[in-house]
Amino acid sequence: MSILSWLTAKYYDKIMQDAETKGLKEWRTQLLRHATGTVLEIGAGTGSNLECYPQTIKKLVLLEPSPHMRQQLTLKLSANNAYPIELLDGKAESIPFPDATFDAIVCTLVLCSVKNMGKALSELHRVLAPEGKLIFIEHVAAAKHTTRFKWQKMVEPVWKRMASGCHVTRQTEAALVQAGFMIEDIARQSMRGVPSLVRPTIRGIAIKC
Ligand SMILES: C[S@@+](CC[C@H](N)C(=O)[O-])C[C@H]1O[C@@H](n2cnc3c(N)ncnc32)[C@H](O)[C@@H]1O
């Protein structure tokens, strides 16, 4: 693991602080209210979503491939939760659970970083129960033919190296539909408190159909 990955994990919460206070935390809280039953969160990072889960969920499984992120997340785990929490090393492209295990999956600011988005989405679809919810917040490509999109395409190769494999031109909404999800609710909005390249976002709920 590189020093960059260690630094990213150590300072992730600080880096995101401005975005969280300018609206991201509110987005997390509003969306995670819809999590029910047995829940999987992929790319859980430092655990920014932990405080947003309703106490009524049955179980929470957190999947996170970076040991540095897992280390930061562990510091936030409390023994006093109303539901059990399991933290596992793993990637979205290969989820170590049988088909239809989860009632809901949470995925926030992760699909930009997975190596193979098609494979990751097909795994999310596989482990979700029929009509289960995929709750997402993702930064995405700007509208085609805009200056921002041209910049995103130009800067992406360098950005990916600096930001742990993060892509800025992903067409995530189309990929969700292609993977067999029905978009039940979606908001397209600019995320405040982050560089211009990663401001365009989508957030909402997609249903396994
Ligand atoms: C930008 S952080 C987002 C963390 C957290 N989800 C949040 O909302 O703040 C991206 C996270 O995705 C994780 N990640 C990268 N590739 C992944 C993959 N293939 N499967 C699952 N998680 C991955 C990274 O280790 C990192 O913790």
Side-chain angles (χ1 to χ4, degrees):
M1 278 286 155
S2 71
I3 181 90
L4 185 62
S5 139
W6 177 80
L7 281 171
T8 306
K10 184 151 178 60
Y11 294 105
Y12 183 78
D13 290 351
K14 279 204 172 71
I15 295 166
M16 295 303 289
Q17 183 61 46
D18 200 27
E20 298 288 357
T21 52
K22 287 182 170 160
L24 180 55
K25 185 60 84 182
E26 181 58 25
W27 290 358
R28 295 181 191 276
T29 309
Q30 280 173 7
L31 275 172
L32 289 179
R33 273 187 206 138
H34 300 279
T36 51
T38 303
V39 181
L40 170 69
E41 179 175 343
I42 59 153
T46 60
S48 302
N49 287 324
L50 279 178
E51 63 191 280
C52 306
Y53 283 101
Q55 293 293 299
T56 47
I57 65 173
K58 214 152 82 189
K59 180 179 179 179
L60 178 60
V61 177
L62 303 168
L63 204 63
E64 171 50 57
S66 156
H68 304 304
M69 287 290 194
R70 289 200 303 277
Q71 195 178 11
Q72 296 299 320
L73 194 159
T74 305
L75 302 174
K76 292 186 195 156
L77 290 178
S78 132
N80 301 325
N81 273 302
Y83 47 85
I85 299 182
E86 197 179 347
L87 172 58
L88 300 174
D89 175 9
K91 292 192 173 184
E93 292 93 331
S94 173
I95 300 177
F97 287 94
D99 298 359
T101 302
F102 298 98
D103 302 300
I105 299 182
V106 171
C107 172
T108 61
L109 308 176
V110 177
L111 292 174
C112 56
S113 300
V114 300
K115 277 219 171 88
N116 185 335
M117 185 159 68
K119 176 78 181 122
L121 287 175
S122 109
E123 276 292 89
L124 298 189
H125 194 271
R126 180 185 69 75
V127 298
L128 251 187
E131 300 188 18
K133 290 175 194 155
L134 173 60
I135 298 171
F136 60 90
I137 303 174
E138 293 293 333
H139 70 79
V140 295
K144 278 193 177 143
H145 310 303
T146 58
T147 308
R148 192 186 320 237
F149 183 59
K150 282 182 201 136
W151 272 105
Q152 284 180 322
K153 279 206 297 192
M154 234 157 56
V155 175
E156 185 164 76
V158 179
W159 179 267
K160 262 196 309 195
R161 286 173 177 243
M162 283 167 24
S164 311
C166 168
H167 298 71
V168 292
T169 59
R170 288 210 155 149
Q171 308 282 347
T172 308
E173 185 177 342
L176 284 168
V177 173
Q178 203 176 353
F181 290 96
M182 188 204 53
I183 309 281
E184 185 184 71
D185 180 30
I186 190 160
R188 301 173 188 86
Q189 214 175 333
S190 191
M191 178 158 51
R192 296 171 62 214
V194 291
S196 156
L197 284 179
V198 290
R199 272 187 211 149
T201 67
I202 56 169
R203 68 180 191 279
I205 298 177
I207 306 290
K208 171 174 174 170
C209 51

